[in-house]
Amino acid sequence: MSENEFKNAICYSGYRMGQRPGGESPSYEQIKEDLFILKEHWSILRLYDCSRHAETVLKVIEKEKLDLKVMIGAYIEAEVNNENCPWGGGSHPSQVLQENIRSNRQNINRVIELSNRYPELISSISVGNEAAVDWTDHMVPVERILEYVRMVKKGARQPVTYCENYVPWTGKLEKLVEELDFISIHTYPVWEYKNIEQALDFTKENYYSVANRYPHKAVVITEAGWTTKSNGRGIEPGNVSQELQAVYYNQLMEWSRKNDILTFVFEAFDEDWKGSGDALEPEKHWGLFTIDREPKLVMKQLKRMYA
């Protein structure tokens, strides 16, 4: 990858107040506004699915002639129950699981179709997101993920990966590794009770636990970030702020550049639909920009740096 691609990658989901996956989607103009903000600092976007939202993103990039590439995702829902899900979301009626299998196949076919329709814009494809880790609420057997990966590799030309927490890569996903073009890991020190002084070392530990196990495969970080608010659900409120987010972001980017590690920061904009209804729910506040598209401290610092 070029230096420009390497150091500028971010997770993007453009849902605004009142919008959510499966409900109202952002309009063309709203996504255009977002991408004109993001193109100033990033050159690769990670999209989580191949929905109408993703298709609109691709249309905006093409029509507005933006210098942006996309890692597109085929989101896969639960195909088996997971009683280990700590918030109780891992149990589904058998009818729902069967319907998910059908819709997952449809998503695989759709991501192949979009990847062939936009071969110059889509630089890689992710088959699933956090569907194998012990705590997931949308568990999919490794054998089925492997089947989906093979379907995508047969139908599309782009490199194929699977995005997952770092832990399953150290054992459970070994069979999957050889089928992938590269490995994609997630690391969240703040979710694992690390303070800012411990955060970067913990990130490195997570990364190298996978990279050293598979020295023949490239390893990309497809999620790493720091939330700016918390109600105490899994994250101590005193361990999050815009100031701490800026510290972690800057440390993460410096280490990634120095070691030639492609890292997608999580995430571009706050998303109100996520998590519980509590306004301080940490899931809602990972953005480098607020839901109103106002820059948080880290972005104000970057703007001053490049002004």
Side-chain angles (χ1 to χ4, degrees):
M1 296 189 175
S2 74
E3 178 69 10
N4 186 48
E5 289 177 315
F6 155 70
K7 63 182 181 182
N8 296 286
I10 195 164
C11 300
Y12 170 62
S13 181
Y15 295 100
R16 303 187 181 209
M17 196 71 73
Q19 301 173 346
R20 62 185 301 118
E24 183 182 350
S25 290
S27 68
Y28 182 99
E29 289 302 319
Q30 288 174 327
I31 289 177
K32 177 181 174 181
E33 178 188 4
D34 288 351
L35 299 194
F36 270 79
I37 292 171
L38 297 181
K39 74 180 182 65
E40 297 302 316
H41 295 285
W42 294 280
S43 55
I44 309 178
L45 308 179
R46 179 187 170 207
L47 305 180
Y48 283 80
D49 58 30
C50 50
S51 64
R52 181 174 59 180
H53 172 279
E55 186 170 4
T56 305
V57 171
L58 293 166
K59 287 178 179 178
V60 171
I61 294 173
E62 181 179 63
K63 185 173 181 180
E64 307 299 332
K65 297 179 171 57
L66 301 180
D67 187 17
L68 292 168
K69 301 295 183 185
V70 169
M71 172 190 281
I72 196 168
Y75 195 85
I76 51 178
E77 298 283 3
E79 296 191 9
V80 294
N81 285 325
N82 179 23
E83 302 303 329
N84 292 323
C85 179
W87 56 91
S91 297
H92 311 275
S94 59
Q95 181 180 346
V96 170
L97 297 176
Q98 290 302 310
E99 177 56 36
N100 286 348
I101 292 173
R102 288 191 288 271
S103 64
N104 287 345
R105 288 186 174 275
Q106 291 174 351
N107 282 336
I108 295 300
N109 290 327
R110 178 165 169 78
V111 83
I112 291 171
E113 188 272 324
L114 284 176
S115 298
N116 289 328
R117 196 195 316 172
Y118 295 97
E120 302 303 317
L121 303 185
I122 295 175
S123 58
S124 61
I125 304 166
S126 170
V127 179
N129 181 71
E130 294 182 349
V133 69
D134 287 349
W135 42 256
T136 188
D137 61 4
H138 54 282
M139 180 76 77
V140 178
V142 176
E143 293 75 14
R144 190 59 60 82
I145 298 172
L146 184 60
E147 177 186 336
Y148 293 151
V149 166
R150 288 170 174 164
M151 288 174 63
V152 173
K153 293 192 75 171
K154 183 177 179 179
R157 290 172 286 172
Q158 291 89 340
V160 178
T161 190
Y162 166 69
C163 297
E164 185 57 272
N165 175 272
Y166 67 94
V167 174
W169 291 112
T170 60
K172 184 177 183 179
L173 296 177
E174 279 188 345
K175 290 191 296 184
L176 185 62
V177 169
E178 295 308 318
E179 294 286 337
L180 299 174
D181 294 298
F182 61 97
I183 297 168
S184 295
I185 73 165
H186 300 170
T187 170
Y188 287 105
V190 72
W191 269 128
E192 300 197 52
Y193 306 102
K194 306 301 180 185
N195 60 39
I196 197 63
E197 287 77 21
Q198 302 166 312
L200 186 62
D201 283 343
F202 188 71
T203 302
K204 295 177 184 179
E205 178 184 323
N206 295 169
Y207 177 83
Y208 289 114
S209 70
V210 179
N212 291 342
R213 190 179 186 95
Y214 308 105
H216 61 298
K217 287 284 180 177
V219 178
V220 168
I221 297 175
T222 41
E223 289 186 25
W226 204 273
T227 188
T228 55
K229 293 183 182 179
S230 179
N231 57 2
R233 189 187 75 86
I235 298 176
E236 289 295 326
N239 205 20
V240 298
S241 67
Q242 291 194 24
E243 289 76 13
L244 294 175
Q245 181 189 59
V247 170
Y248 183 66
Y249 176 88
N250 291 326
Q251 291 180 346
L252 180 68
M253 291 299 100
E254 181 181 3
W255 170 70
S256 298
R257 283 192 295 269
K258 184 179 297 184
N259 292 277
D260 197 29
I261 298 168
L262 178 62
T263 298
F264 288 76
V265 65
F266 186 85
E267 64 177 328
F269 302 100
D270 284 351
E271 295 186 85
D272 186 68
W273 67 271
K274 289 185 172 181
S276 70
D278 190 326
L280 294 179
E281 162 70 49
E283 291 283 9
K284 301 179 186 294
H285 298 286
W286 292 87
L288 304 186
F289 296 83
T290 70
I291 196 168
D292 297 322
R293 278 47 190 169
E294 292 297 320
K296 294 185 182 178
L297 177 63
V298 62
M299 293 312 306
K300 292 176 181 177
Q301 291 176 344
L302 286 177
K303 186 174 182 179
R304 289 196 297 268
M305 187 182 303
Y306 293 104

